[in-house]
Amino acid sequence: MTGPRIRPRRSFIFTPGLRPEMFPKALATGADIVCVELEDGIAPKDKAEARINAIKLFQSPQADDGVERIVRINSLREGFGMADVQAVLASDTPPPALMMPKVRTPDEVVLLDNLLTERGHGTRLHVIIETNAGLEAAHDIAHCSPRIDAMFFGGVDMAAELRCQNAWEPLLYARSRVVHAAASAGLDVIDVPYLDLEDLDGMTRVAIQARDLGFCGKGAVHPKQIAALNEVFTPSPERIARARRIIAEFEAADTGLVVIDGKLIEKPVLREMHRIVAIADRIGTA
């Protein structure tokens, strides 16, 4: 199984499995993650066709362009989800990563991990926390599989389950629990897309709040949102320079801590420093 790769995950966008011709266009939007959609965005009557299209997309070698490619399957608690998994297992060229929606318990993730391991696939996993049960088990879910690279917060479904408004304040507790769970396992954590396409200022404001809470990125529902999201979640030149310095100091010291500018810095901060440098490399910052 391929190990975790630290990479920028500032923005993601969905592209419908039913329309494979849109996949190259999505890859060119500037998003760090492009997700082929098989779940909510596909009607039940079209899911089989979308599944076939999605698997075919990965039969050809993918460009090393810095864009992370994933497929959002249906819930493993549904027949559609099991059919998605069977198609992945049957393929000799599986998607690099799968997004698991509506995860409620660690057992779902462990099951998929075991099936992928048995097949010999190195496919990574991204999990969405968007149910009340998933929120309760978020910490255990985050730690249940070494295949997990990121957790996503699904605000729309979560608000419906919690019977609250889909707004920042009512969902602050739920968001915080997901951030806490992801951080405890060293995972990236990505916020729900902002649905109002005409309110870029509002989206930017919420993205800044999410960033300050601990999220490393946020979803987009339209390409025109991506540039602003990437800007919000791109570290400043000063933070990038400091991250490079901290990494270099640790490499030179070969110890579990270093002192920089009079401040004690311990090794657990290194993952965040490497993530900052990964973003800098993605955007070509020295």
Side-chain angles (χ1 to χ4, degrees):
M1 182 175 60
T2 305
R5 175 182 173 188
I6 296 176
R7 59 191 308 161
R9 294 185 171 104
R10 301 166 297 171
S11 56
F12 79 88
I13 192 165
F14 287 108
T15 184
L18 203 58
R19 298 188 59 188
E21 73 278 5
M22 293 183 66
F23 186 52
K25 297 176 183 178
L27 294 173
T29 59
D32 287 334
I33 302 172
V34 169
C35 182
V36 181
E37 169 69 315
L38 299 182
E39 195 218 7
D40 284 348
I42 304 295
K45 67 181 179 63
D46 295 323
K47 286 189 183 288
E49 181 181 351
R51 181 184 307 119
I52 292 169
N53 291 342
I55 296 298
K56 283 183 178 179
L57 285 174
F58 297 97
Q59 290 177 351
S60 302
Q62 299 294 306
D64 186 12
D65 52 10
V67 181
E68 186 171 13
R69 292 148 167 83
I70 62 180
V71 172
R72 180 161 76 168
I73 61 175
N74 290 273
S75 170
L76 294 192
R77 297 174 180 274
E78 301 172 357
F80 291 126
M82 294 307 298
D84 294 339
V85 171
Q86 288 173 343
V88 171
L89 296 176
S91 174
D92 292 328
T93 54
L98 299 175
M99 180 186 287
M100 301 180 65
K102 299 178 177 63
V103 175
R104 298 181 185 178
T105 66
D107 294 346
E108 299 168 55
V109 184
V110 172
L111 171 63
L112 182 52
D113 186 333
N114 289 342
L115 290 171
L116 292 168
T117 298
E118 181 181 56
R119 178 61 170 86
H121 285 346
T123 303
R124 309 297 299 171
L125 299 177
H126 297 227
V127 299
I128 311 179
I129 303 300
E130 53 187 333
T131 69
N132 201 12
L135 187 65
E136 183 68 22
H139 182 275
D140 292 339
I141 291 169
H143 288 265
C144 74
S145 168
R147 289 183 186 267
I148 302 175
D149 284 338
M151 299 187 83
F152 288 67
F153 176 67
V156 177
D157 285 5
M158 184 67 73
E161 287 235 342
L162 297 178
R163 303 190 298 274
C164 71
Q165 281 190 318
N166 181 14
W168 181 262
E169 288 294 338
L171 288 174
L172 180 57
Y173 167 75
R175 273 189 169 94
S176 298
R177 277 196 67 142
V178 176
V179 169
H180 175 243
S184 73
L187 305 176
D188 284 332
V189 59
I190 301 163
D191 195 31
V192 64
Y194 190 83
L195 301 181
D196 188 345
L197 294 180
E198 304 307 317
D199 185 13
L200 285 179
D201 289 341
M203 183 203 70
T204 300
R205 183 172 59 253
V206 173
I208 291 171
Q209 290 176 306
R211 179 199 66 195
D212 292 349
L213 191 64
F215 285 91
C216 68
K218 187 172 178 64
V221 293
H222 191 278
K224 71 179 183 180
Q225 297 176 316
I226 290 170
L229 291 176
N230 285 347
E231 182 177 355
V232 168
F233 290 100
T234 295
S236 67
E238 293 77 18
R239 287 193 70 201
I240 292 171
R242 185 170 183 271
R244 293 191 189 279
R245 182 183 173 195
I246 289 173
I247 292 170
E249 291 278 357
F250 268 105
E251 289 176 349
D254 194 27
T255 63
L257 53 86
V258 297
V259 177
I260 296 179
D261 298 330
K263 294 182 179 179
L264 183 68
I265 299 177
E266 297 181 287
K267 211 161 190 174
V269 306
L270 271 181
R271 187 183 192 283
E272 176 63 12
M273 298 303 103
H274 281 290
R275 191 182 69 81
I276 290 172
V277 170
I279 294 174
D281 290 344
R282 168 95 160 100
I283 63 176
T285 300

Short mmCIF file of all heavy atoms in Angstrom, two decimals, residues 83-118:
data_model
loop_
_atom_site.label_atom_id
_atom_site.label_comp_id
_atom_site.label_asym_id
_atom_site.label_seq_id
_atom_site.Cartn_x
_atom_site.Cartn_y
_atom_site.Cartn_z
N ALA A 83 -21.67 -1.76 -5.20
CA ALA A 83 -21.39 -1.94 -6.63
C ALA A 83 -20.19 -1.09 -7.05
O ALA A 83 -19.36 -1.53 -7.87
CB ALA A 83 -22.62 -1.57 -7.46
N ASP A 84 -20.08 0.10 -6.49
CA ASP A 84 -18.92 0.95 -6.78
C ASP A 84 -17.63 0.26 -6.34
O ASP A 84 -16.63 0.24 -7.07
CB ASP A 84 -19.04 2.30 -6.05
CG ASP A 84 -20.19 3.15 -6.55
OD1 ASP A 84 -20.65 2.93 -7.69
OD2 ASP A 84 -20.62 4.05 -5.80
N VAL A 85 -17.66 -0.29 -5.13
CA VAL A 85 -16.46 -0.95 -4.60
C VAL A 85 -16.10 -2.17 -5.45
O VAL A 85 -14.93 -2.41 -5.76
CB VAL A 85 -16.67 -1.35 -3.13
CG1 VAL A 85 -15.52 -2.23 -2.63
CG2 VAL A 85 -16.80 -0.11 -2.26
N GLN A 86 -17.10 -2.94 -5.85
CA GLN A 86 -16.84 -4.11 -6.68
C GLN A 86 -16.18 -3.71 -8.00
O GLN A 86 -15.29 -4.40 -8.50
CB GLN A 86 -18.14 -4.87 -6.92
CG GLN A 86 -18.64 -5.60 -5.69
CD GLN A 86 -20.03 -6.21 -5.89
OE1 GLN A 86 -20.75 -5.83 -6.81
NE2 GLN A 86 -20.40 -7.13 -5.02
N ALA A 87 -16.61 -2.58 -8.55
CA ALA A 87 -16.01 -2.11 -9.81
C ALA A 87 -14.56 -1.69 -9.60
O ALA A 87 -13.71 -1.96 -10.45
CB ALA A 87 -16.83 -0.93 -10.35
N VAL A 88 -14.28 -1.05 -8.48
CA VAL A 88 -12.89 -0.67 -8.17
C VAL A 88 -12.03 -1.91 -7.99
O VAL A 88 -10.90 -2.00 -8.50
CB VAL A 88 -12.85 0.21 -6.90
CG1 VAL A 88 -11.41 0.43 -6.44
CG2 VAL A 88 -13.53 1.55 -7.16
N LEU A 89 -12.55 -2.89 -7.28
CA LEU A 89 -11.79 -4.12 -7.04
C LEU A 89 -11.56 -4.91 -8.32
O LEU A 89 -10.54 -5.61 -8.46
CB LEU A 89 -12.51 -4.99 -6.01
CG LEU A 89 -12.67 -4.40 -4.60
CD1 LEU A 89 -13.50 -5.33 -3.73
CD2 LEU A 89 -11.31 -4.13 -3.96
N ALA A 90 -12.47 -4.80 -9.25
CA ALA A 90 -12.35 -5.54 -10.51
C ALA A 90 -11.36 -4.88 -11.47
O ALA A 90 -10.92 -5.52 -12.44
CB ALA A 90 -13.72 -5.67 -11.19
N SER A 91 -11.01 -3.64 -11.20
CA SER A 91 -10.15 -2.90 -12.11
C SER A 91 -8.68 -3.14 -11.78
O SER A 91 -8.28 -3.20 -10.62
CB SER A 91 -10.46 -1.40 -12.01
OG SER A 91 -9.52 -0.65 -12.78
N ASP A 92 -7.86 -3.23 -12.82
CA ASP A 92 -6.41 -3.29 -12.64
C ASP A 92 -5.79 -1.91 -12.56
O ASP A 92 -4.60 -1.77 -12.26
CB ASP A 92 -5.76 -4.07 -13.79
CG ASP A 92 -6.12 -5.55 -13.77
OD1 ASP A 92 -6.32 -6.10 -12.67
OD2 ASP A 92 -6.22 -6.14 -14.86
N THR A 93 -6.59 -0.88 -12.84
CA THR A 93 -6.12 0.51 -12.75
C THR A 93 -7.11 1.31 -11.91
O THR A 93 -7.87 2.13 -12.43
CB THR A 93 -5.99 1.14 -14.16
OG1 THR A 93 -7.25 0.99 -14.85
CG2 THR A 93 -4.90 0.44 -14.96
N PRO A 94 -7.14 1.07 -10.60
CA PRO A 94 -8.13 1.74 -9.74
C PRO A 94 -7.83 3.22 -9.58
O PRO A 94 -6.70 3.67 -9.83
CB PRO A 94 -7.95 1.00 -8.41
CG PRO A 94 -6.50 0.61 -8.40
CD PRO A 94 -6.20 0.23 -9.83
N PRO A 95 -8.81 4.00 -9.17
CA PRO A 95 -8.56 5.41 -8.85
C PRO A 95 -7.51 5.52 -7.74
O PRO A 95 -7.41 4.65 -6.87
CB PRO A 95 -9.93 5.91 -8.36
CG PRO A 95 -10.93 4.95 -8.93
CD PRO A 95 -10.23 3.63 -8.98
N PRO A 96 -6.73 6.59 -7.76
CA PRO A 96 -5.72 6.77 -6.71
C PRO A 96 -6.32 6.91 -5.31
O PRO A 96 -5.68 6.55 -4.32
CB PRO A 96 -5.00 8.07 -7.11
CG PRO A 96 -5.33 8.26 -8.55
CD PRO A 96 -6.67 7.65 -8.77
N ALA A 97 -7.56 7.42 -5.25
CA ALA A 97 -8.20 7.61 -3.95
C ALA A 97 -9.71 7.56 -4.11
O ALA A 97 -10.25 7.86 -5.18
CB ALA A 97 -7.79 8.95 -3.33
N LEU A 98 -10.37 7.16 -3.03
CA LEU A 98 -11.83 7.13 -2.97
C LEU A 98 -12.31 8.02 -1.84
O LEU A 98 -11.73 8.02 -0.75
CB LEU A 98 -12.33 5.70 -2.73
CG LEU A 98 -11.97 4.64 -3.77
CD1 LEU A 98 -12.46 3.27 -3.31
CD2 LEU A 98 -12.56 4.99 -5.14
N MET A 99 -13.38 8.76 -2.11
CA MET A 99 -14.04 9.54 -1.07
C MET A 99 -15.25 8.77 -0.58
O MET A 99 -16.10 8.37 -1.38
CB MET A 99 -14.46 10.92 -1.61
CG MET A 99 -15.16 11.80 -0.59
SD MET A 99 -15.79 13.34 -1.31
CE MET A 99 -14.27 14.25 -1.56
N MET A 100 -15.31 8.57 0.74
CA MET A 100 -16.40 7.79 1.34
C MET A 100 -17.41 8.74 1.98
O MET A 100 -17.08 9.42 2.96
CB MET A 100 -15.84 6.84 2.39
CG MET A 100 -14.81 5.85 1.87
SD MET A 100 -14.20 4.76 3.19
CE MET A 100 -15.72 3.84 3.60
N PRO A 101 -18.63 8.80 1.49
CA PRO A 101 -19.64 9.69 2.07
C PRO A 101 -20.38 9.05 3.24
O PRO A 101 -20.41 7.82 3.39
CB PRO A 101 -20.59 9.93 0.91
CG PRO A 101 -20.57 8.63 0.17
CD PRO A 101 -19.15 8.12 0.30
N LYS A 102 -20.94 9.91 4.07
CA LYS A 102 -21.87 9.48 5.13
C LYS A 102 -21.30 8.37 6.01
O LYS A 102 -22.01 7.45 6.43
CB LYS A 102 -23.20 9.05 4.53
CG LYS A 102 -23.92 10.17 3.76
CD LYS A 102 -25.21 9.70 3.13
CE LYS A 102 -25.95 10.84 2.43
NZ LYS A 102 -25.21 11.43 1.30
N VAL A 103 -20.00 8.46 6.30
CA VAL A 103 -19.38 7.44 7.15
C VAL A 103 -19.92 7.59 8.57
O VAL A 103 -19.91 8.68 9.14
CB VAL A 103 -17.84 7.58 7.14
CG1 VAL A 103 -17.21 6.61 8.13
CG2 VAL A 103 -17.31 7.34 5.73
N ARG A 104 -20.39 6.49 9.13
CA ARG A 104 -20.97 6.52 10.48
C ARG A 104 -20.08 5.85 11.52
O ARG A 104 -20.09 6.25 12.68
CB ARG A 104 -22.34 5.82 10.47
CG ARG A 104 -23.37 6.49 9.59
CD ARG A 104 -24.69 5.74 9.66
NE ARG A 104 -25.68 6.30 8.73
CZ ARG A 104 -26.90 5.82 8.57
NH1 ARG A 104 -27.29 4.76 9.28
NH2 ARG A 104 -27.73 6.37 7.73
N THR A 105 -19.36 4.81 11.11
CA THR A 105 -18.55 4.06 12.05
C THR A 105 -17.22 3.68 11.41
O THR A 105 -17.10 3.64 10.18
CB THR A 105 -19.25 2.75 12.47
OG1 THR A 105 -19.33 1.88 11.32
CG2 THR A 105 -20.64 3.01 13.01
N PRO A 106 -16.21 3.38 12.23
CA PRO A 106 -14.93 2.93 11.68
C PRO A 106 -15.04 1.64 10.88
O PRO A 106 -14.24 1.40 9.97
CB PRO A 106 -14.07 2.73 12.93
CG PRO A 106 -14.68 3.57 13.99
CD PRO A 106 -16.15 3.55 13.70
N ASP A 107 -16.04 0.81 11.19
CA ASP A 107 -16.16 -0.49 10.53
C ASP A 107 -16.26 -0.35 9.01
O ASP A 107 -15.73 -1.19 8.27
CB ASP A 107 -17.39 -1.24 11.05
CG ASP A 107 -17.25 -1.63 12.51
OD1 ASP A 107 -16.12 -1.55 13.02
OD2 ASP A 107 -18.25 -2.02 13.13
N GLU A 108 -16.96 0.69 8.54
CA GLU A 108 -17.10 0.89 7.10
C GLU A 108 -15.73 1.09 6.44
O GLU A 108 -15.45 0.52 5.38
CB GLU A 108 -17.97 2.11 6.83
CG GLU A 108 -19.38 2.02 7.37
CD GLU A 108 -20.07 3.37 7.32
OE1 GLU A 108 -20.12 3.98 6.23
OE2 GLU A 108 -20.55 3.84 8.37
N VAL A 109 -14.91 1.90 7.09
CA VAL A 109 -13.59 2.21 6.53
C VAL A 109 -12.69 0.98 6.59
O VAL A 109 -11.97 0.66 5.64
CB VAL A 109 -12.96 3.39 7.29
CG1 VAL A 109 -11.63 3.77 6.65
CG2 VAL A 109 -13.90 4.59 7.32
N VAL A 110 -12.73 0.29 7.72
CA VAL A 110 -11.91 -0.92 7.88
C VAL A 110 -12.29 -1.96 6.83
O VAL A 110 -11.42 -2.63 6.24
CB VAL A 110 -12.05 -1.48 9.30
CG1 VAL A 110 -11.36 -2.83 9.42
CG2 VAL A 110 -11.48 -0.49 10.32
N LEU A 111 -13.58 -2.12 6.57
CA LEU A 111 -14.03 -3.08 5.56
C LEU A 111 -13.44 -2.74 4.20
O LEU A 111 -12.88 -3.62 3.52
CB LEU A 111 -15.56 -3.08 5.49
CG LEU A 111 -16.17 -3.87 4.32
CD1 LEU A 111 -15.83 -5.35 4.42
CD2 LEU A 111 -17.69 -3.66 4.27
N LEU A 112 -13.55 -1.48 3.80
CA LEU A 112 -13.03 -1.09 2.49
C LEU A 112 -11.51 -1.22 2.45
O LEU A 112 -10.94 -1.69 1.45
CB LEU A 112 -13.45 0.35 2.17
CG LEU A 112 -13.03 0.88 0.80
CD1 LEU A 112 -13.43 -0.06 -0.32
CD2 LEU A 112 -13.60 2.28 0.58
N ASP A 113 -10.84 -0.85 3.52
CA ASP A 113 -9.39 -1.01 3.62
C ASP A 113 -9.01 -2.48 3.40
O ASP A 113 -8.12 -2.81 2.61
CB ASP A 113 -8.91 -0.53 4.98
CG ASP A 113 -7.40 -0.53 5.12
OD1 ASP A 113 -6.71 -1.32 4.44
OD2 ASP A 113 -6.88 0.25 5.94
N ASN A 114 -9.70 -3.38 4.08
CA ASN A 114 -9.38 -4.81 3.97
C ASN A 114 -9.60 -5.33 2.55
O ASN A 114 -8.80 -6.12 2.03
CB ASN A 114 -10.23 -5.61 4.95
CG ASN A 114 -9.81 -5.41 6.39
OD1 ASN A 114 -8.70 -4.95 6.67
ND2 ASN A 114 -10.70 -5.72 7.32
N LEU A 115 -10.68 -4.88 1.92
CA LEU A 115 -10.96 -5.33 0.56
C LEU A 115 -9.89 -4.83 -0.42
O LEU A 115 -9.43 -5.57 -1.30
CB LEU A 115 -12.34 -4.84 0.12
CG LEU A 115 -13.53 -5.49 0.82
CD1 LEU A 115 -14.82 -4.76 0.46
CD2 LEU A 115 -13.64 -6.97 0.46
N LEU A 116 -9.48 -3.58 -0.26
CA LEU A 116 -8.43 -3.02 -1.12
C LEU A 116 -7.10 -3.72 -0.89
O LEU A 116 -6.34 -3.99 -1.84
CB LEU A 116 -8.30 -1.52 -0.87
CG LEU A 116 -9.49 -0.65 -1.31
CD1 LEU A 116 -9.35 0.75 -0.75
CD2 LEU A 116 -9.60 -0.61 -2.83
N THR A 117 -6.82 -4.03 0.37
CA THR A 117 -5.57 -4.73 0.69
C THR A 117 -5.56 -6.13 0.09
O THR A 117 -4.56 -6.56 -0.50
CB THR A 117 -5.39 -4.80 2.22
OG1 THR A 117 -5.31 -3.48 2.75
CG2 THR A 117 -4.13 -5.56 2.58
N GLU A 118 -6.67 -6.81 0.22
CA GLU A 118 -6.78 -8.16 -0.35
C GLU A 118 -6.55 -8.14 -1.86
O GLU A 118 -5.92 -9.04 -2.42
CB GLU A 118 -8.14 -8.75 -0.02
CG GLU A 118 -8.35 -10.17 -0.53
CD GLU A 118 -9.73 -10.69 -0.21
OE1 GLU A 118 -10.72 -10.02 -0.60
OE2 GLU A 118 -9.84 -11.73 0.45
#
